[in-house]
Amino acid sequence: MRDPLEQRRLLRPAAKSLHLLCLGSDMAGQYELLLEGAQQLVLVCTKGEKYLLESGMQNLAVLENASVVIGKDGYIKAAGDASAIRNQFSGVPFEKIINCSGKCILPGLVDAHTHPVWAGDRVHEFAMKLAGASYMDIHQAGGGIHFTVEHTQKTSEDDLLQRFKQRLLRMLRGGTTLVECKSGYGLNLETEIKMLRVIERARQELNIGISSTYCGAHSVPKDKNALEATDDIMSIHLPKLKELDRNGEIHVDNIDVFCEKGVFDLNSTRKILQAGKDIGLQINFHGDELHPMKCAELGADLGAQAISHLEEVSDEGITAMAQAKCAAILLPTTAYILRLKQPQARKMLKEGVIVALGSDFNPNAYCCSMPMVMHLACVNMKMSMKEALAAATINAAYALGKSDSHGSIETGKQGDLLIINSSRWEHLIYQFGGHQELIEYVIVKGKVVYKNSNILDY
């Protein structure tokens, strides 16, 4: 039997009123979802902020005994005091009402860096890492990216799509409602386009937001040197992407390059990123991960939206990123798994950098849980829980150029939310690995896309 609180019904009137938004006379039937009476409602932002710096992250907007209204169009119509919303929407029909008493509502999480389209796992390499092999040791021995490239090239588009969709569903169950997804395990034009088609098909078929990234410069193909690969990308790959976008076959949002010793140097990286920017792609690339490459300075100079990794960033690079409002996407899972030094999150925050988080989900770092990413950011990078949540919501959305529509619970934004079975929102981070029994609902555009039947009290 369905919970009567979740059935279509009229909202009962309340004693007090407070005007939250203008309601027209034809408002009947315009409202999809009411989330009613949450113990805590974590808005994150209240003034349309595009990102939060250190001081703003420490003052996250959190309301007690609050409700949220989402319209038929999938956008938030009101968020605030429960009694005020009850009175404002008295007599208004909703398709669904969820009683959130004793629970918390948070914005959907944003994963700002993933490599989720591939075939051929690398579980065998984990033992090599545990025995002391470095990332580049494995890469130079023919493993790493090239191992995955070989398997991905041989796998059909439909097979890749099915694997990709399963990974996206795992992310969704962990609270991710917007995710950046890269190509990069093709390296040749045919397979890179195949991967981008897979991403586009998933975008059309699944209820999860996707920001698509061309990452054909993820590694140098075995049959080319770096200069040849750079020329190939600029003269063949990027014109083809522009053509496919113009024809409506695929839409790509970002361009990425792995700028690293033995891969693409700073000059090649500049050329590729600028060429991508010239055809309308946002710059969002791998930089200063294993060696100091001056990637942060390059990104700031090119007007990059974001740079990922940054374990080896220079002090000058941090200053440049802060001045350019270029987001730093930090990946605590990668530093943890590869035993790298941790990114300087505290220094970046102090210097005014926009700090975001991502999972870096890939065969080398198999984690698709943003709650676990936030926990690691707190423990290993010394971020507070408020900072970690802001970095995984509004700032991660900013890193993808989507903080105008995602990353906080504000009127006019897309209705992407989580409901957790806890009276304090911090449990989402505190319970390391506990999100599978904690996240009760995941909502995208006002629709419940995941209802967890395995909720357990803690």
Side-chain angles (χ1 to χ4, degrees):
M1 179 178 293
R2 294 179 60 191
D3 182 345
L5 286 170
E6 295 182 12
Q7 295 182 26
R8 178 185 176 95
R9 62 177 174 83
L10 297 181
L11 184 63
R12 296 186 301 274
K16 298 187 293 183
S17 76
L18 175 64
H19 189 71
L20 296 174
L21 76 168
C22 295
L23 298 178
S25 59
D26 59 342
M27 64 185 179
Q30 292 185 352
Y31 299 100
E32 178 68 27
L33 179 64
L34 171 66
L35 306 180
E36 187 174 24
Q39 181 76 28
Q40 290 186 321
L41 169 60
V42 185
L43 302 172
V44 176
C45 301
T46 60
K47 299 177 181 177
E49 298 95 328
K50 299 301 182 187
Y51 54 82
L52 294 177
L53 300 179
E54 183 181 27
S55 60
M57 297 167 96
Q58 291 295 343
N59 295 286
L60 288 187
V62 180
L63 302 179
E64 304 283 339
N65 190 27
S67 298
V68 180
V69 172
I70 302 175
K72 289 281 192 181
D73 60 359
Y75 289 85
I76 297 168
K77 304 304 178 184
D81 178 75
S83 62
I85 285 182
R86 176 179 291 277
N87 190 68
Q88 181 69 22
F89 290 84
S90 175
V92 173
F94 290 85
E95 284 294 324
K96 190 178 188 69
I97 296 177
I98 299 177
N99 180 1
C100 297
S101 177
K103 305 179 190 299
C104 294
I105 303 171
L106 300 92
L109 303 177
V110 181
D111 190 341
H113 183 122
T114 77
H115 302 259
V117 183
W118 46 269
D121 68 53
R122 305 215 297 264
V123 65
H124 60 286
E125 291 180 5
F126 188 52
M128 297 169 67
K129 296 188 193 82
L130 296 178
S134 72
Y135 178 89
M136 291 307 294
D137 289 339
I138 295 170
H139 181 80
Q140 290 165 358
I145 291 172
H146 286 297
F147 178 87
T148 306
V149 166
E150 180 181 347
H151 285 76
T152 304
Q153 287 178 347
K154 294 177 180 177
T155 303
S156 71
E157 182 176 318
D158 286 344
D159 192 7
L160 284 174
L161 177 63
Q162 291 309 309
R163 298 176 192 221
F164 177 42
K165 287 166 70 173
Q166 290 299 307
R167 293 164 190 155
L168 288 176
L169 290 173
R170 290 180 71 168
M171 293 177 184
L172 194 69
R173 293 181 179 191
T176 297
T177 56
L178 172 62
V179 56
E180 184 265 0
C181 300
K182 303 178 191 294
S183 69
Y185 291 124
L187 304 187
N188 63 41
L189 178 63
E190 178 186 0
T191 312
E192 287 295 311
I193 296 300
K194 177 173 69 175
M195 294 179 71
L196 291 170
R197 283 202 177 100
V198 165
I199 293 170
E200 186 64 33
R201 288 173 66 183
R203 195 204 312 253
Q204 301 299 324
E205 294 178 22
L206 293 184
N207 289 314
I208 186 170
I210 292 176
S211 179
S212 175
T213 300
Y214 166 73
C215 190
H218 196 196
S219 186
V220 178
K222 289 183 176 180
D223 60 346
K224 292 182 173 65
N225 61 39
L227 291 177
E228 292 169 338
T230 299
D231 290 341
D232 191 51
I233 288 167
M234 294 178 65
S235 63
I236 299 175
H237 288 217
L238 292 179
K240 185 63 175 180
L241 289 188
K242 184 177 180 180
E243 174 192 333
L244 292 171
D245 182 76
R246 186 172 58 246
N247 295 340
E249 294 183 46
I250 61 172
H251 175 72
V252 180
D253 301 288
N254 317 291
I255 185 163
D256 192 354
V257 176
F258 185 20
C259 184
E260 184 53 72
K261 284 186 178 181
V263 193
F264 290 92
D265 65 16
L266 205 65
N267 187 49
S268 293
T269 299
R270 177 185 286 275
K271 289 179 179 179
I272 295 169
L273 294 177
Q274 184 62 57
K277 184 177 180 179
D278 289 344
I279 64 169
L281 302 180
Q282 289 183 137
I283 296 175
N284 189 331
F285 72 110
H286 292 62
D288 296 324
E289 178 184 359
L290 304 176
H291 299 92
M293 300 287 293
K294 295 190 179 297
C295 295
E297 294 92 327
L298 173 64
D301 184 52
L302 291 176
Q305 187 73 22
I307 305 171
S308 293
H309 284 290
L310 299 165
E311 288 87 351
E312 298 288 346
V313 67
S314 68
D315 291 347
E316 295 79 9
I318 290 174
T319 299
M321 290 183 69
Q323 293 174 346
K325 296 294 181 274
C326 173
I329 304 173
L330 305 185
L331 310 169
T333 51
T334 309
Y336 166 71
I337 291 169
L338 296 184
R339 297 171 173 170
L340 304 175
K341 74 177 186 181
Q342 295 292 327
Q344 301 177 66
R346 290 258 53 91
K347 181 174 177 60
M348 292 182 195
L349 288 166
K350 182 180 179 181
E351 296 294 325
V353 175
I354 302 163
V355 173
L357 290 173
S359 70
D360 197 16
F361 174 77
N362 72 84
N364 178 58
Y366 202 108
C367 175
C368 52
S369 164
M370 285 303 292
M372 294 182 75
V373 168
M374 290 189 287
H375 181 102
L376 288 172
C378 293
V379 174
N380 290 339
M381 299 197 308
K382 299 180 172 60
M383 295 177 73
S384 71
M385 286 189 285
K386 289 180 179 179
E387 289 169 340
L389 183 64
T393 52
I394 191 65
N395 286 3
Y398 174 84
L400 303 181
K402 292 183 177 292
S403 60
D404 58 335
S405 56
H406 295 73
S408 62
I409 301 176
E410 297 179 87
T411 300
K413 284 199 170 184
Q414 188 165 301
D416 294 0
L417 309 101
L418 313 179
I419 303 173
I420 66 170
N421 183 39
S422 170
S423 60
R424 291 180 60 92
W425 69 265
E426 292 93 340
H427 276 270
L428 188 63
I429 300 174
Y430 162 68
Q431 293 188 26
F432 188 52
H435 61 275
Q436 292 176 325
E437 290 80 30
L438 184 67
I439 297 174
E440 188 166 0
Y441 292 90
V442 179
I443 296 160
V444 175
K445 294 183 180 179
K447 299 284 190 182
V448 175
V449 296
Y450 175 59
K451 169 67 169 74
N452 189 355
S453 59
N454 296 315
I455 289 297
L456 296 173
D457 289 330
Y458 53 90

